[in-house]
Amino acid sequence: MVHRRELKGTELVFGNQGDLYGNAMTWFDHGTGSIWSQPRGEAILGPLTGERLELLPSTLTTWQAWTTANPQTLALDVEGWPTGFHLEDMAVVVDMGGAATAYSFEELQRSGVVNDEVAGVPVAIVIDPQDTNRWAVFSRQLDDVVVELSFVQAGLIDIATGTSFDPFSGVGVAGPLRDQSLDRLPAFTAFPDDYARFFPAGTMWPG
């Protein structure tokens, strides 16, 4: 997950605090010494207790899937280290601040795309059927239209208009909504048990 470091006009500088909170890492900010929970991006101790950082769109995927979509990407170490993480054991979490919903990869891989609402926001959670390591979460609100997405012959299609969208970028590639873009929403991956620990009021799809 990726958070914006700016809080109320102040740019924060973080370090690894070294302790675990709910079996997850914690940070400290150099300015106030406040302790932050990494999964929630929330200060849990110190002067900034209760403040939350803005969650930014990001993705956890394979190097091959990423460079296929972003061939100009540079990396310090393309070999990396084994993480022990397997996407099929995890869930995509959509956290809208006031509400959160988790979608298991196992279910998403069967569905391909899920049209849902989180905190009143129409969302689509999409896994590319050509490469199930590629996933994205989009707002289905496009100006005054709410699209309903489905995979048809390996293409991501708005059922009402027949517009075809790129499943990774959300850009319309053919049809009436061509060249219009679905807004990508912040989301992250988590193990279901960790999600339940940090978002006790959150829901799992399907409910």
Side-chain angles (χ1 to χ4, degrees):
M1 61 187 64
V2 179
H3 294 92
R4 188 182 301 279
R5 292 191 294 117
E6 184 177 319
L7 181 68
K8 297 180 179 178
T10 299
E11 186 175 288
L12 303 178
V13 177
F14 289 93
N16 184 357
Q17 199 268 339
D19 292 328
L20 296 180
Y21 175 74
N23 203 34
M25 71 178 293
T26 54
W27 313 318
F28 72 96
D29 72 79
H30 289 265
T32 72
S34 298
I35 307 301
W36 297 74
S37 165
Q38 183 247 2
R40 291 186 60 85
E42 180 178 358
I44 56 175
L45 190 66
L48 297 180
T49 296
E51 296 286 357
R52 292 193 70 181
L53 302 173
E54 179 187 354
L55 186 66
L56 299 176
S58 63
T59 190
L60 174 64
T61 187
T62 63
W63 177 245
Q64 180 178 354
W66 178 263
T67 52
T68 297
N70 304 273
Q72 303 304 315
T73 299
L74 300 178
L76 179 63
D77 179 8
V78 296
E79 295 297 330
W81 290 273
T83 64
F85 295 159
H86 301 284
L87 288 178
E88 59 267 24
D89 297 329
M90 305 180 80
V92 174
V93 179
V94 181
D95 175 17
M96 302 302 291
T101 302
Y103 305 81
S104 77
F105 266 100
E106 188 176 13
E107 293 290 342
L108 288 171
Q109 287 171 344
R110 281 197 283 264
S111 303
V113 58
V114 171
N115 296 278
D116 201 8
E117 285 194 8
V118 180
V121 177
V123 302
I125 300 85
V126 177
I127 286 188
D128 188 342
Q130 304 301 313
D131 186 344
T132 55
N133 288 304
R134 298 205 313 169
W135 62 272
V137 178
F138 300 105
S139 169
R140 294 189 290 118
Q141 187 79 48
L142 198 57
D143 295 328
D144 58 348
V145 175
V146 176
V147 299
E148 187 85 7
L149 300 175
S150 179
F151 276 110
V152 178
Q153 297 179 343
L156 184 63
I157 306 295
D158 170 38
I159 296 173
T161 67
T163 300
S164 176
F165 290 91
D166 181 275
F168 199 65
S169 69
V171 176
V173 294
L177 302 177
R178 181 177 179 176
D179 295 329
Q180 296 193 48
S181 297
L182 302 172
D183 289 335
R184 191 156 184 174
L185 297 178
F188 59 93
T189 52
F191 291 105
D193 287 349
D194 293 336
Y195 167 72
R197 184 180 301 115
F198 284 97
F199 297 89
T203 59
M204 283 289 298
W205 182 93

